[in-house]
Amino acid sequence: MSTNLDDELHMLTETVARYVANRSDGKANSEDGWKELAELGWLYLPYPEEVGGLRLGTAGVSAVMQGHGRGLLATPYLPFAVMAGGVLARCPRASQTLAAVMEGTQRVAAAFVVGAAPTQVAQAADDGWRLAGACDHVLAVDEADAVLALARIGASDETGLFVVRTDAPGVTVEPHLLPDGRRAGRVGFDDVAVAAADRLDDDGGVETLLREVETEALLAAAADNLGAMQVLYEQTLDYAKLRRQFGRPIGSFQSLQFRLVDMWIKLDEVRSLVSSAAGAEDRQEAGALAIAAWIQSVWSGRLIGEEAIQIHGAIAMTDEHAVGRYVKRILVNELVFGAPERHFSRYRSMR
Amino acid sequence: MTMIFTDDDKAFSAEVRTYLSDNLPAELARKVRYNQRLTRDDYTSWQDVLAARNWHAVGWPASAGGPGLTQTQRYLFEREYGALSCPHPCQFGIAMAGPVIFTFGNDEQKARFLPGIRENKDFWCQGYSEPGAGSDLAALKTTAVREGDHYRVNGQKIWTTWANWADWMFCLVKTDLEVKPQRGISFLLIDMRSPGITVRPIKTIDGDEEFNEVFFNDVLVPVENRIGEEGQGWTYAKFLLEFERFSMSGAARSRRVLSEIRADAEALGKADDARVAERLTRLEIELLALEHMELHLLARSVGGENPGPEASKLKIRGTEIAQALSRLRVDLHAEDCLVHSEAFLDASEPSDNPSAMGAIATYLNQRKLTIWGGSNEVQRMILAKQILELG
């Protein structure tokens, strides 16, 4: 990595930190929040220069995502920019949609689940396709202008990629809250007419494309977890130094010291893997590191979250206290992107 | 910061790999691979191979007659070394006595002791632990009373690895009983053939005899064998705790053991057993995290930072992972481990299932990893105090 890129990355990291520090105004989920990301240029980060993106790539995405975790931002950067955008950026036919996504004028949700086969079916019709089926837990789908959907083509094993506007006839969106306060929803397709031009893939190659996008999504999710557990660790360490019981700070008790040290190590393991995955030059190695980073972020996140609550004691059981919000963030991430064991075979195939 | 290896670094790695693999005797590699007991001669003949290339004292600076490797080369050497079934180096001379002597010793002491360590002429042991002083070295009781040109040493050391083979011991003794414990300790080099020394081996849970008790009964040690100032031994001992922490992750060795276990699983037809596959993958990812913690620490170090006690995290995780691997090997071979054969462990008799035959002894032997070299509890205390700044 050249020094120039290192400098740019450093600047980005500082901008992210400032942005996160300044926004406790609750507009993370609003139109304004997305506009701000667009104005900051972050919607260009995940894509290569050839398609109009910025060259900071996964390292840049990772910095933005750590900020999302740290600040518990609900802006759907991961599903919209990394996942849906990641698919668009790999489909030459989608260049106009991608341009609108990068500008922030069009918001596309990702109606597919990492590691799962599509549940929608597309049948060929005279003027294009008819789409049927539904996808659950699509992140921030109620904010989206369109969805990027996967569908099985007829009775074949083939998978096709489709962009469908959420206001198209036959599309239904049923939003629900996630346990951490973010939003998701079920998007249903009831015999929805899709123009031939809105199928993005040429025949074949979709599997490889999806694996690449999913790998980037898992690394981004690991970075989100990293940002969140960093805060949990820092807050717990500070609390252990301040909180006094039995006439001394609880952090002076060795049983808690050892547990805090283990939290610090678990945090460092994630940080090391996320950083290596984002910096790796070799594609294969970067992929394996990204999956490992995600898996380790879940293991570390569970331990750090549970220990943060235990060491804080009853105060962390309150709805008002921040610890619970971070714990829920990491838990929801895990359930959305898949528990470690679900990714073991993917890891083995990539190393 | 990501660690990037230059072409020169890669060439160095290849040079190490070629030399080690060309010169590692197959019989010795086999013993290491199957965790059979090594003899003193196994160690010293291998260390002669290293010394011939001046890679025995591989971590030493050129000023002490060592190869003067850069930190990156030092790391790469460990990586190549651990990837092969080389005997674990006897670290007491090269990684402990040597560095204290070239850092705190006088010119005469350097000239007298360093060549013997570097060239693998002298076998060293470490006289730290005592019955009442393990992790808490300040509680030492062995005394050294000054009598003219000599110290008269009385007391007992224990858990002294390879004292039965050693020519020399570097030893912490009490020279002042009046002052604060840390201030009354001195660092002596003791000739193991001195009159008054009795060495008694202690059989360990794996049946080996690495450990010893060492008794000192009016042993006379010349004052010229004291390193540095009287009463400063504590400082030198602490210096050693931080020396070469990098080589303590054992990640390369664990990487090799992991692939051996995977090969065993395949040979047993258990590679696709979901439980086996899950545990292997889990450990592999934990190991990958350790490797990358180490790489990032190395990158910071090469960048001019002194990570200091942070490297304790590598010792903690590296030893935990090595122990988990030794347990996984037992679980994999299960009841095949039940045949106990001293003749196999001593390599005097072959076996058609060597991987299983050595598994239990290894599992038991590896329990030492989290106890020695500053127990993992001591490492956590260091991190809590110095990195987390917990009072």
Side-chain angles (χ1 to χ4, degrees), chain A residues 30-52:
Chain A
S30 72
E31 200 118 338
D32 290 350
W34 197 252
K35 272 191 191 138
E36 285 170 6
L37 297 198
E39 282 158 17
L40 286 160
W42 295 351
L43 302 184
Y44 291 88
L45 283 175
Y47 321 112
E49 283 169 304
E50 302 90 84
V51 297

Side-chain angles (χ1 to χ4, degrees), chain A residues 76-223:
Chain A
Y77 188 76
L78 203 176
F80 287 14
V82 180
M83 290 174 74
V87 171
L88 296 171
R90 287 169 171 82
C91 299
R93 203 171 292 163
S95 62
Q96 280 193 337
T97 314
L98 179 67
V101 164
M102 288 191 288
E103 282 164 21
T105 50
Q106 166 124 234
R107 287 178 293 178
V108 182
F112 59 94
V113 176
V114 171
T119 47
Q120 288 85 250
V121 178
Q123 300 288 357
D126 293 345
D127 48 352
W129 303 90
R130 312 291 288 189
L131 215 57
C135 186
D136 280 320
H137 316 307
V138 178
L139 292 169
V141 66
D142 54 345
E143 293 179 52
D145 305 306
V147 296
L148 192 296
L150 262 56
R152 206 151 37 79
I153 302 297
S156 73
D157 288 340
E158 198 188 332
T159 300
L161 304 169
F162 299 87
V163 183
V164 186
R165 289 199 60 82
T166 46
D167 57 8
V171 176
T172 51
V173 171
E174 297 165 54
H176 65 84
L177 267 178
L178 292 164
D180 68 342
R182 281 181 289 174
R183 300 173 68 81
R186 175 188 178 89
V187 52
F189 305 92
D190 183 13
D191 201 27
V192 177
V194 181
D198 289 334
R199 179 173 173 188
L200 302 178
D201 61 298
D202 299 309
D203 297 338
V206 172
E207 308 271 302
T208 313
L209 179 157
L210 281 175
R211 273 183 95 83
E212 283 177 14
V213 173
E214 288 178 353
T215 302
E216 287 179 5
L218 288 172
L219 179 57

